[in-house]
């Protein structure tokens, strides 16, 4: 995952950095340091590369950036952001306005911003290659390769003790032994190419036993870069580490674009300059995720080590601007239903209604357009599945993350991808869904229904297996059309085995902000043979003017009265009381929210406790 295929194209002319700038010097005497706010001073004391970046930044033109430890929603719509925030202990991000474009700049500030690193790294890499012959075992896991790389660095470089003056020593470097290292670390050391560029290499101080003497800052920066480029995802690392990024995309030669939770569409300063180098980069990414890509098989749809979903299109034959890739990031901790309520994606009452329906085994689809929040909502409502249930999830790309312990997670296998099939055969969603029916699950969750697996899903519903899934359709009518047409071909008389359809959408507010909302929640009632139409009743609907939700189906719920109340043995004279249960659970969710049980796992554990205490018994 070397760094030669990209360039950092800063949107400003960097100020010259004093060659004698000592990042260890007394900061109190530095003019720029004196200008920084208190929290910024703390950041630069711990991260000298950030201080060096600030020295290159034209403060007189843009002003001192605002330093924030976290980004809050009140920053939405900021017209000219000049903001720096931390992504982790080593990396920062600078959001800078572009007066000539709707997209502002996204500038990752990594330890690689140190001016000395670009000269040191090729020399370090050459020494590491010389060292490979002395290693006895081959690392196999990512963690092992990282540990080996760090040990190797420690054996070829040493940190200069502060205040000690060591005279410069030089020695001739050896550039051989590349192939064994490529095999050993499953990577390559491309920075060496800089040594062959014709530029005269600088002499660095070394110890009598041949180790390069580095400052602590240089050592930490080189260690970060070696692990980033040889073990991690290379230049994608800061983007993948940023919790505020939702999507990362490269359309071909040019910049990497990001969709940011606060600052929306941004263009990064990381750019691919040459089509062939972009091709090389996506090939390495594909190899990194064990899904090799070729001209004969130019499309990859898979997941990264962190669970993010990636799509790669390789070569100029089908992508005229060069190879491209798109990454949809996943949250390490899934959004809970209370997180979605906080963002006004739905309200307490509609969530409480879904809680009852899911707890009592109703089948549902979350339907909507691409990037409307379908999978996020589906994952969030899994906390309403009883904790004792056995669940089987079936996906072609793993995205769901359930809190239940009795969870069978199955993923489809493309033809020739993996050793499990022996001959390189494929295991489809259809195959997995048929198998799931023999595993006696209480719930089956399908990542997305697109084709013939829809037939098996409806067969499962008919035999009493609740099924939850996402579906691509913008309305109930369109969903029925797709279900009853090619390639799914569900008979119309079977459609009412599906109990609920949630329509999810990304809508544009009057202020221009795009938000995700549950447009409606609909109960599927039945097929009318005389009219050829299908009856469904809207339980909840979104009111766009007030941005609120209306319980339009209160008092007329077929599922609550005729399915769930009947299942629980509630007499007809008391069936209306089930609506009080919805209101009671809405209050429970609100109280849990106010008490701070907002996170996905915390909410699930609290719902489990509440159930054990008998507070969720209906009709008692």
């Amino acid at each position: 995952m070397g760094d030669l295929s990209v360039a950092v194209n800063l949107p400003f002319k960097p100020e010259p950095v004093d060659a004698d700038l000592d990042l260890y010097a007394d900061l109190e005497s530095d003019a720029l340091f004196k200008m920084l706010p208190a929290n910024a001073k703390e950041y630069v004391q711990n991260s000298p590369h950030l201080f060096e970046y600030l020295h290159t930044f034209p403060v007189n033109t843009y002003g001192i950036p605002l330093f924030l430890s976290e980004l809050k929603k009140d920053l939405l719509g900021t017209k000219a952001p000049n903001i720096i925030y931390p992504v982790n202990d080593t990396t920062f991000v600078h959001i800078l306005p572009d007066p000539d474009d709707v997209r502002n700049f996204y500038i990752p500030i990594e330890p690689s911003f140190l001016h000395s690193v670009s000269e040191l790294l090729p020399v370090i890499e050459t020494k590491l290659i010389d060292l490979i012959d002395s290693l006895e075992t081959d690392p196999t896991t990512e963690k092992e390769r990282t540990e080996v790389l760090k040990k190797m660095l420690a054996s070829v470089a040493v940190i200069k003790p502060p205040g000690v003056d060591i005279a410069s020593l030089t020695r001739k470097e050896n550039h051989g032994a590349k192939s064994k290292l490529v095999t050993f670390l499953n990577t390559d050391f491309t920075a060496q190419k800089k040594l062959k560029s014709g530029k005269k290499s600088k002499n660095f101080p070394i110890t009598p036993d041949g180790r390069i003497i580095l400052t602590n800052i240089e050592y930490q920066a080189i260690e970060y870069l070696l692990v980033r480029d040889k073990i991690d995802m290379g230049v994608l690392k800061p983007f993948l580490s940023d919790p505020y990024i939702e999507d990362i995309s490269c359309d071909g030669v040019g910049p990497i674009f990001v969709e940011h939770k606060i600052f929306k569409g941004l263009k990064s300063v990381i750019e691919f300059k040459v089509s062939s180098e972009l091709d090389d980069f996506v090939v390495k990414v594909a190899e990194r995720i064990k899904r090799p890509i070729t001209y004969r098989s130019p499309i990859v749809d898979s997941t990264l080590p962190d669970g993010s979903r990636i799509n790669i299109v390789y070569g100029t034959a089908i992508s005229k601007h060069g190879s491209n890739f798109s990454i949809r990031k996943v949250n390490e901790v899934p959004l809970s239903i209370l997180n979605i309520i906080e963002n006004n994606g739905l309200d307490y009452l509609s969530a409480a209604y879904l809680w009852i329906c899911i707890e009592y085994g109703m089948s549902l689809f979350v339907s909507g357009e691409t990037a409307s929040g379908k999978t996020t909502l589906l994952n969030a409502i899994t906390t309403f599945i009883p904790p004792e249930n056995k669940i089987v999830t079936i996906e072609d790309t793993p995205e769901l993350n359930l809190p239940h312990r009795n969870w069978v997670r199955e993923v489809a296998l493309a033809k020739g991808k993996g050793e499990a099939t022996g001959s390189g055969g494929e295991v489809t969603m259809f195959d997995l869904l048929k198998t799931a029916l023999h595993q006696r699950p209480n719930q089956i969750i399908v990542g997305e229904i697109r084709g013939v697996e829809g037939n098996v899903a409806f067969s499962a519903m008919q035999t009493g297996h609740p099924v939850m899934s996402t579906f691509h359709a913008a309305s109930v009518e369109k969903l029925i059309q797709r279900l009853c047409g090619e390639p799914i071909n569900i008979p119309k008389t079977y459609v009412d085995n599906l109990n609920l359809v949630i329509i999810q959408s990304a809508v544009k507010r009057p202020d221009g902000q795009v938000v995700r909302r549950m447009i409606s929640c609909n109960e599927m009632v039945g097929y009318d043979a005389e009219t050829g139409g299908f009856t469904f009743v809207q339980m909840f609907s979104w009111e766009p003017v007030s941005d609120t939700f209306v319980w339009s189906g209160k008092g007329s719920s077929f599922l609550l009265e005729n399915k769930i109340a009947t299942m629980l043995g509630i007499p007809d004279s008391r069936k209306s009381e089930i609506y009080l249960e919805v209101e009671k659970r809405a209050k429970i969710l609100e109280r849990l929210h106010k008490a701070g049980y907002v996170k996905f796992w915390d909410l699930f554990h609290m719902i489990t406790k509440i159930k054990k205490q008998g507070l969720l018994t209906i009709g008692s």
Side-chain angles (χ1 to χ4, degrees):
M1 303 299 300
D3 65 348
L4 291 184
S5 55
V6 294
V8 178
N9 187 19
L10 292 173
F12 52 83
K13 184 179 180 181
E15 299 283 348
V17 178
D18 186 351
D20 296 325
L21 176 67
D22 187 351
L23 299 176
Y24 275 122
D26 183 7
L27 293 173
E28 301 297 335
S29 63
D30 186 271
L32 175 60
F33 183 81
K34 291 177 182 177
M35 297 166 62
L36 296 177
N39 64 333
K41 289 179 179 177
E42 185 177 342
Y43 283 137
V44 300
Q45 283 172 325
N46 295 324
S47 304
H49 60 281
L50 174 61
F51 192 43
E52 185 168 321
Y53 169 79
L54 290 172
H55 269 276
T56 70
F57 180 64
V59 171
N60 293 335
T61 303
Y62 292 95
I64 296 283
L66 177 65
F67 287 78
L68 298 174
S69 59
E70 62 177 319
L71 304 181
K72 296 188 176 176
K73 291 179 185 175
D74 55 9
L75 293 169
L76 285 166
T78 304
K79 298 299 181 186
N82 180 11
I83 292 170
I84 291 179
Y85 64 91
V87 165
N88 51 40
D89 292 340
T90 58
T91 303
F92 297 80
V93 166
H94 191 182
I95 307 294
L96 198 62
D98 183 353
D100 302 321
D101 192 2
V102 292
R103 287 181 180 264
N104 291 322
F105 292 105
Y106 181 94
I107 308 172
I109 306 169
E110 301 175 271
S112 52
F113 263 100
L114 283 175
H115 67 278
S116 57
V117 167
S118 59
E119 294 178 319
L120 282 165
L121 196 57
V123 180
I124 294 287
E125 287 198 352
T126 301
K127 283 187 167 290
L128 290 175
I129 290 171
D130 290 342
L131 189 69
I132 194 67
D133 289 322
S134 65
L135 294 166
E136 298 176 356
T137 58
D138 289 353
T140 54
T141 67
E142 230 176 80
K143 185 178 179 182
E144 287 173 352
R145 289 203 298 271
T146 300
E147 289 174 355
V148 167
L149 201 54
K150 288 182 177 180
K151 286 178 182 177
M152 288 169 64
L153 176 61
S155 65
V156 301
V158 63
I159 296 173
K160 171 186 172 183
V164 176
D165 184 24
I166 303 176
S168 294
L169 301 170
T170 60
R171 62 186 282 156
K172 188 176 180 180
E173 308 296 344
N174 179 8
H175 304 295
K178 178 179 177 181
S179 60
K180 186 172 179 181
L181 189 62
V182 171
T183 304
F184 185 84
L185 283 174
N186 191 27
T187 185
D188 63 357
F189 277 63
T190 49
Q192 297 172 84
K193 295 177 184 176
K194 296 178 181 178
L195 290 179
K196 301 175 183 178
S197 62
K199 294 180 181 178
K200 188 175 181 181
S201 61
K202 181 179 176 181
N203 289 330
F204 296 99
I206 63 173
T207 62
D209 63 354
R211 289 192 289 175
I212 296 177
I213 301 168
L214 305 173
T215 66
N216 183 53
I217 300 168
E218 290 169 339
Y219 190 96
Q220 299 302 325
I222 287 173
E223 183 179 79
Y224 169 85
L225 278 173
L226 286 173
V227 174
R228 186 199 78 170
D229 291 342
K230 315 306 175 189
I231 311 296
D232 287 338
M233 298 304 298
V235 295
L236 295 178
K237 184 175 174 65
F239 302 97
L240 294 170
S241 302
D242 190 341
Y244 299 103
I245 286 183
E246 294 181 329
D247 291 277
I248 307 159
S249 63
C250 174
D251 306 330
V253 172
I256 294 175
F257 294 96
V258 299
E259 290 300 318
H260 198 279
K261 292 178 182 177
I262 304 296
F263 301 111
K264 304 308 172 185
L266 300 169
K267 58 189 173 191
S268 83
V269 297
I270 308 297
E271 289 191 359
F272 290 90
K273 295 289 190 181
V274 182
S275 183
S276 61
E277 293 182 337
L278 175 55
D279 289 347
D280 291 343
F281 181 81
V282 299
V283 166
K284 288 176 183 176
V285 171
E287 290 172 352
R288 175 74 179 77
I289 57 176
K290 297 180 174 60
R291 293 291 300 273
I293 198 166
T294 64
Y295 285 112
R296 291 185 63 184
S297 180
I299 297 174
V300 163
D301 195 7
S302 187
T303 53
L304 297 177
D306 70 346
S308 297
R309 184 167 184 168
I310 184 168
N311 176 270
I312 302 173
V313 178
Y314 173 60
T316 53
I318 54 176
S319 179
K320 296 304 178 185
H321 294 161
S323 299
N324 64 72
F325 60 85
S326 299
I327 299 171
R328 184 185 299 176
K329 280 189 62 182
V330 295
N331 294 316
E332 288 185 16
V333 178
L335 290 183
S336 74
I337 199 70
L338 295 182
N339 290 134
I340 295 175
I341 289 171
E342 274 183 339
N343 294 323
N344 208 32
L346 73 171
D347 65 356
Y348 293 113
L349 278 170
S350 52
Y353 167 81
L354 291 173
W355 185 355
I356 294 174
C357 290
I358 291 167
E359 182 177 336
Y360 288 95
M362 298 300 108
S363 292
L364 66 84
F365 282 1
V366 182
S367 186
E369 313 98 330
T370 301
S372 58
K374 300 185 297 297
T375 303
T376 300
L377 180 58
L378 178 65
N379 205 105
I381 60 180
T382 59
T383 52
F384 296 146
I385 299 174
E388 69 273 15
N389 280 15
K390 177 180 180 179
I391 303 164
V392 176
T393 61
I394 297 165
E395 303 169 87
D396 59 359
T397 304
E399 292 181 280
L400 296 170
N401 192 351
L402 272 59
H404 300 71
R405 299 193 68 176
N406 196 354
W407 169 30
V408 178
R409 189 180 202 185
E410 297 183 337
V411 180
L413 187 65
K415 191 171 183 178
K417 306 296 183 186
E419 299 171 3
T421 54
S423 60
E426 62 181 333
V427 179
T428 65
M429 301 265 284
F430 181 81
D431 299 326
L432 292 175
L433 198 46
K434 285 194 298 183
T435 301
L437 296 178
H438 301 293
Q439 295 173 319
R440 301 188 67 183
N442 299 105
Q443 249 102 3
I444 298 172
I445 302 178
V446 184
E448 182 185 340
I449 286 179
R450 289 190 294 258
V452 290
E453 67 272 4
N455 277 294
V456 183
F458 274 82
S459 296
M461 294 178 203
Q462 281 184 302
T463 55
H465 295 84
V467 175
M468 298 164 64
S469 182
T470 65
F471 198 85
H472 271 276
S475 67
V476 178
E477 293 84 356
K478 284 183 170 30
L479 177 139
I480 294 169
Q481 287 173 10
R482 283 202 61 207
L483 284 176
C484 299
E486 292 285 349
I488 303 176
N489 290 321
I490 301 295
K492 286 188 177 181
T493 52
Y494 288 12
V495 174
D496 62 352
N497 287 296
L498 176 62
N499 305 121
L500 273 174
V501 173
I502 299 167
I503 301 298
Q504 184 77 6
S505 184
V507 296
K508 202 166 191 175
R509 303 286 296 138
D511 60 3
Q513 183 185 349
V514 176
V515 294
R516 293 174 175 90
R517 296 287 182 265
M518 182 187 76
I519 300 299
S520 65
C521 181
N522 310 273
E523 293 185 357
M524 311 296 281
V525 179
Y527 174 66
D528 189 331
E530 291 184 7
T531 63
F534 203 92
T535 306
F536 61 92
V537 178
Q538 193 173 83
M539 283 293 106
F540 290 87
S541 58
W542 176 62
E543 174 52 56
V545 176
S546 58
D547 196 15
T548 57
F549 297 88
V550 179
W551 190 3
S552 50
K554 185 177 182 180
S556 60
S557 169
F558 175 77
L559 293 183
L560 292 180
E561 292 187 32
N562 298 340
K563 288 259 187 185
I564 296 172
T566 302
M567 186 190 310
L568 294 170
I570 299 173
D572 290 346
S573 59
R574 292 179 53 204
K575 282 187 176 179
S576 61
E577 293 178 12
I578 200 162
Y579 297 101
L580 299 176
E581 181 68 18
V582 175
E583 293 173 350
K584 182 184 92 175
R585 295 195 184 201
K587 288 176 182 173
I588 289 173
L589 288 173
E590 190 172 2
R591 286 173 188 161
L592 289 173
H593 200 166
K594 288 178 179 175
Y597 298 104
V598 179
K599 290 185 178 179
F600 184 74
W601 306 101
D602 295 342
L603 179 62
F604 176 72
H605 292 313
M606 285 307 297
I607 288 175
T608 301
K609 281 186 179 180
I610 290 167
K611 182 170 184 179
K612 281 184 177 180
Q613 291 167 2
L615 299 176
L616 302 180
T617 305
I618 300 176
S620 57

